[in-house]
Amino acid sequence: MKDMQDGYTTADGRKIGGVVMEMKNITLRFGGVVAIKDISFDIREGEIRAIIGPNGAGKSSMLNVISGFYVPQEGEVWFHGEPRPQMRPYEVAQQGIARTFQNIALFEGMSVLDNVMTGRLSYMKSGLFSQALWKGKAEAEEVANREVAEKIIDFLEIQHIRKTPVARLPYGLKKRVELARALAAEPKLLLLDEPMAGMNVEEKEDMSRFILDVNDEFGTTIALIEHDMGVVMDLSDRVVVMDYGKKIGDGTPDEVRNNQAVIDAYLGVSSD
Amino acid sequence: MFYREAGDFKTSYEQDSQTFPIKFDRFRYYAVLAIAFLVVPFVINDYWANAILLPFLIYAIAAIGLNILVGYAGQVSLGTGGFMAVGAYACYKFMTMMPEVSMFVHVLLAGGMTAIVCVVFGLPSLRIKGFYLAVATLAAQFFLVWLFNRVPWFYNYSASGQISAPERDVFGILITGPNAPAWATYMFSLIFLTLCALVARNLTRGTIGRSWMAIRDMDIAAEIIGVNPLKAKLTAFAVSGFFIGISGALFFSVYLGAVEVGEAFGITKSFLVLFMVIIGGLGSIFGSFAGAAFLVLLPVVLKVVGVDVLGWPTDIVAHFQLVIVGALIIVFLIVEPHGLAQLWRVAKEKLRLWPFPH
Ligand SMILES: Nc1ncnc2c1ncn2[C@@H]1O[C@H](COP(=O)(O)OP(=O)(O)OP(=O)(O)O)[C@@H](O)[C@H]1O
Ligand SMILES: [Mg+2]
């Protein structure tokens, strides 16, 4: 099924392209704690790639490495076929990588619309003087980017709370607004850290639908961390399994499900 | 149903992001502007100018400046007095070095100079925040006052160590010096306040304002979603410094006329402007006006009521004022960090529903 050079076709007939992002032998330590131990995997254009594993396995740390927030002691991050030089997180974002966070990280003092508009910051280049006068480039840019933001807001069905301060929203909606903020960046690669954690079944279904729609309509490549196995099996094309910082499995949901090391890790059996 | 939003539909995003999206607000705003520009100059006298209007206009500029830094960008500053002093001394040096240049230019240049100084003292914010940043800006406050006291070049070697504003005119009308008419100093300050408020409003509703607020609300997430923290913080210090510098320049040149730095721009000034921002409302331009008006009016009202009407001794009234301000600061910090501006918003929300509360 897989052709490692030029991508592959999924069971439901979607064409998956070449490698967009490749992690090569990443090792990340915090003092004595080894959060990630010599892990390599790739993410292909247009696919939904899941990262799973028990608590503390190092999944969020891996996303933080991709975001440029953590700098691994060893290994390289390759993006679009080139090793990525060390860069600040905001520079990574400008390269088209957007994300959501495990513990919602919205800007609580701002409205939903303003939160979504922050996702467009990389596209807004007008200078201080133009903005101070609110004329010319600044105003045109504001309107053009507002149009994109509104499309995302419509897409995620949050029009009714557009002007609401984020602090007033219930948890499930906050998760959705955070997705909207990430999508507003029109990312090439979207990282989702437990987008469905703490949601009820109905909210999970909505969120799953949105993730599939994003992938389908915008062709966005998605890497997501999720604990709900049912969701992972339904959504993802390929799965990386981590345990105690090590990669213990990598493949399609079916391959991973039948992998003995993975079964052991989830049943609490030592994988040594 | 005086106050209504219904029926006020927006058909474009330009309209939706304008400064006063609601017609009634817009109308009230034009009314206030018209009174401030067309009525007050004709009825103003020296007492009103010096006791209330000039300090209000000038402190409002400083409060807007500090609010951008503290309320919008979330960076603490206790250096406002020192930065106002930079504006004042820069203005003085420009006035004496280039007497032929317009006062408008001097005040703007003073703002620019203060912006630069503010950015320099804002550099530590790239590394530290909260309490430590407060201490660093406090150090700036003391250093700047010390500098202007100790280096005679700043006060042109005058024997008193003070600076005093030479007479300058704009289009032949005296703006500074003891003979400047009240209406002229008022108009001059009003023009600057109006411009500063418009610029502040434009900056805070757009791209740069969002990146300030993003840094304020969650700096790490802000950087990960694409805010350049260096740019966001330093522009906040620069814009804030620009306004505070203008306010310091006006405070010296058109309001006081002569200044002894430690007295006019000491640490109490830093706190006064900070209290205006807290009482008025963090993160609100309107709040900056409200806070400045409140703290300028409070002593005047207390004096009229306490000393003139009730006949209390002056020092008791002065202490009373400190107690009121202290209590208000505590109340606002605990109960309503968005200050008078938020109370006003809540009142409007109630009014919008009136007379049907549900
Ligand atoms: N900033 C940090 N400083 C020190 N240790 C850290 C830091 N971030 C993560 N760790 C450690 O790295 C390990 C992996 O953490 P990580 O958050 O990546 O796990 P996870 O797989 O996302 O877990 P969960 O499912 O609970 O979210 C843990 O042992 C954690 O304590
Ligand atoms: Mg995690």
Side-chain angles (χ1 to χ4, degrees):
Chain A
M1 159 175 177
K2 241 177 282 173
D3 173 2
M4 289 322 279
Q5 286 305 309
D6 314 306
Y8 60 95
T9 307
T10 61
D12 54 345
R14 282 156 43 245
K15 287 253 184 299
I16 301 299
V19 172
V20 177
M21 170 140 291
E22 190 168 7
M23 313 301 284
K24 294 192 178 180
N25 306 96
I26 302 287
T27 296
L28 175 72
R29 293 183 215 96
F30 296 104
V33 182
V34 185
I36 302 174
K37 202 185 262 173
D38 194 26
I39 289 191
S40 303
F41 68 95
D42 61 16
I43 302 170
R44 288 173 169 275
E45 175 138 37
E47 81 180 335
I48 300 182
R49 186 74 148 123
I51 303 175
I52 65 169
N55 290 100
K59 308 177 297 293
S60 295
S61 300
M62 185 58 87
L63 286 201
N64 282 331
V65 168
I66 300 178
S67 290
F69 182 57
Y70 289 160
V71 181
Q73 279 79 11
E74 285 156 43
E76 285 178 337
V77 178
W78 284 54
F79 191 45
H80 291 308
E82 288 170 24
R84 188 174 77 186
Q86 194 179 322
M87 44 173 77
R88 302 290 311 245
Y90 73 89
E91 296 170 310
V92 171
Q94 284 165 2
Q95 292 205 321
I97 298 180
R99 68 173 290 180
T100 64
F101 298 83
Q102 182 167 352
N103 307 307
I104 300 168
L106 286 169
F107 308 123
E108 296 269 322
M110 299 159 68
S111 68
V112 168
L113 177 63
D114 276 333
N115 267 276
V116 177
M117 284 293 279
T118 56
R120 304 258 345 133
L121 279 176
S122 309
Y123 296 89
M124 302 179 82
K125 306 257 181 253
S126 65
L128 198 59
F129 283 101
S130 167
Q131 287 186 53
L133 302 177
W134 199 257
K135 280 277 160 282
K137 196 171 173 193
E139 193 180 16
E141 197 175 66
E142 180 79 14
V143 171
N145 284 287
R146 171 86 187 263
E147 266 159 28
V148 181
E150 290 286 348
K151 271 194 201 114
I152 305 291
I153 286 173
D154 285 350
F155 179 79
L156 291 178
E157 297 160 17
I158 46 176
Q159 307 92 325
H160 57 297
I161 49 166
R162 204 193 259 117
K163 295 280 172 80
T164 311
V166 160
R168 285 195 207 162
L169 297 178
Y171 179 85
L173 274 180
K174 281 190 184 176
K175 281 265 184 202
R176 210 187 283 182
V177 173
E178 211 192 13
L179 177 61
R181 182 179 69 184
L183 286 181
E186 298 180 285
K188 296 193 191 72
L189 174 60
L190 175 62
L191 312 172
L192 304 174
D193 196 343
E194 306 200 12
M196 284 163 247
M199 288 187 165
N200 62 34
V201 176
E202 201 181 322
E203 288 171 326
K204 278 187 187 184
E205 278 171 3
D206 282 344
M207 188 54 96
S208 301
R209 179 167 55 84
F210 287 130
I211 292 172
L212 287 173
D213 284 352
V214 167
N215 175 257
D216 194 42
E217 285 185 30
F218 309 132
T220 311
T221 308
I222 298 173
L224 84 133
I225 297 174
E226 188 47 58
H227 278 294
D228 186 323
M229 277 309 142
V231 169
V232 171
M233 297 299 154
D234 283 350
L235 288 184
S236 54
D237 301 311
R238 288 192 299 154
V239 184
V240 177
V241 191
M242 293 177 69
D243 190 23
Y244 291 110
K246 284 182 289 190
K247 183 167 102 169
I248 58 169
D250 188 351
T252 62
D254 279 329
E255 287 166 2
V256 163
R257 195 176 5 213
N258 299 316
N259 179 328
Q260 191 58 43
V262 176
I263 295 168
D264 290 348
Y266 273 87
L267 294 177
V269 181
S270 164
S271 56
D272 287 339
Chain B
M1 295 270 281
F2 304 112
Y3 184 73
R4 47 187 306 160
E5 297 191 326
D8 204 353
F9 296 112
K10 307 293 172 298
T11 51
S12 76
Y13 297 138
E14 288 96 322
Q15 279 181 12
D16 195 37
S17 57
Q18 66 194 355
T19 300
F20 295 97
I22 299 171
K23 228 182 223 149
F24 186 82
D25 285 343
R26 218 151 48 229
F27 171 74
R28 188 173 47 213
Y29 162 72
Y30 289 130
V32 170
L33 269 187
I35 292 171
F37 275 95
L38 302 176
V39 179
V40 176
F42 294 101
V43 296
I44 196 171
N45 59 28
D46 277 347
Y47 172 76
W48 275 86
N50 290 323
I52 295 171
L53 289 169
L54 281 183
F56 163 67
L57 297 174
I58 295 170
Y59 279 126
I61 298 176
I64 291 172
L66 186 64
N67 216 334
I68 283 188
L69 193 62
V70 180
Y72 283 95
Q75 309 298 303
V76 194
S77 171
L78 294 178
T80 312
F83 297 132
M84 284 177 78
V86 174
Y89 277 76
C91 185
Y92 174 68
K93 291 302 282 187
F94 290 132
M95 282 167 86
T96 50
M97 282 192 300
M98 306 179 287
E100 66 289 346
V101 175
S102 162
M103 259 314 275
F104 274 109
V105 177
H106 291 318
V107 174
L108 288 176
L109 284 179
M113 185 59 87
T114 314
I116 295 169
V117 173
C118 221
V119 166
V120 171
F121 284 103
L123 287 174
S125 72
L126 304 177
R127 276 299 166 82
I128 56 177
K129 50 186 174 183
F131 175 73
Y132 298 96
L133 183 59
V135 173
T137 55
L138 196 59
Q141 164 72 41
F142 285 109
F143 169 75
L144 289 167
V145 168
W146 174 87
L147 182 75
F148 294 127
N149 250 329
R150 282 308 160 90
V151 182
W153 178 81
F154 285 114
Y155 49 85
N156 285 0
Y157 307 94
S158 76
S160 62
Q162 293 197 341
I163 54 174
S164 42
E167 289 201 329
R168 292 287 180 270
D169 61 319
V170 172
F171 308 125
I173 303 155
L174 271 187
I175 295 295
T176 63
N179 299 321
W183 70 267
T185 53
Y186 164 84
M187 279 300 275
F188 191 69
S189 307
L190 179 65
I191 289 170
F192 274 103
L193 174 60
T194 310
L195 292 178
C196 287
L198 284 175
V199 166
R201 169 63 193 154
N202 286 343
L203 289 176
T204 52
R205 68 176 155 157
T207 311
I208 193 108
R210 283 187 209 103
S211 59
W212 288 340
M213 292 186 278
I215 290 284
R216 170 196 71 191
D217 286 349
M218 202 160 256
D219 53 352
I220 292 174
E223 176 163 13
I224 292 177
I225 68 149
V227 178
N228 180 345
L230 180 128
K231 203 169 137 192
K233 287 178 186 172
L234 294 188
T235 49
F237 272 97
V239 172
S240 166
F242 182 66
F243 292 161
I244 291 173
I246 286 178
S247 123
L250 295 174
F251 197 73
F252 152 67
S253 63
V254 305
Y255 178 53
L256 290 182
V259 156
E260 199 281 314
V261 62
E263 215 171 277
F265 299 117
I267 181 74
T268 45
K269 191 110 308 169
S270 297
F271 280 110
L272 179 64
V273 180
L274 187 63
F275 291 166
M276 288 174 176
V277 171
I278 293 172
I279 291 179
L282 288 163
S284 158
I285 308 276
F286 170 74
S288 311
F289 281 82
F294 186 84
L295 283 190
V296 167
L297 282 174
L298 183 67
V300 178
V301 171
L302 280 182
K303 187 183 162 297
V304 171
V305 174
V307 181
D308 302 349
V309 178
L310 297 175
W312 293 352
T314 323
D315 55 335
I316 298 279
V317 173
H319 289 146
F320 199 52
Q321 180 193 336
L322 291 180
V323 172
I324 292 182
V325 172
L328 278 176
I329 294 290
I330 294 170
V331 169
F332 274 117
L333 280 182
I334 295 173
V335 183
E336 187 48 89
H338 297 293
L340 293 173
Q342 180 67 13
L343 296 183
W344 173 244
R345 261 194 297 273
V346 170
K348 276 206 295 196
E349 250 168 59
K350 294 258 158 67
L351 200 55
R352 188 181 307 160
L353 299 175
W354 189 85
F356 310 107
H358 295 294

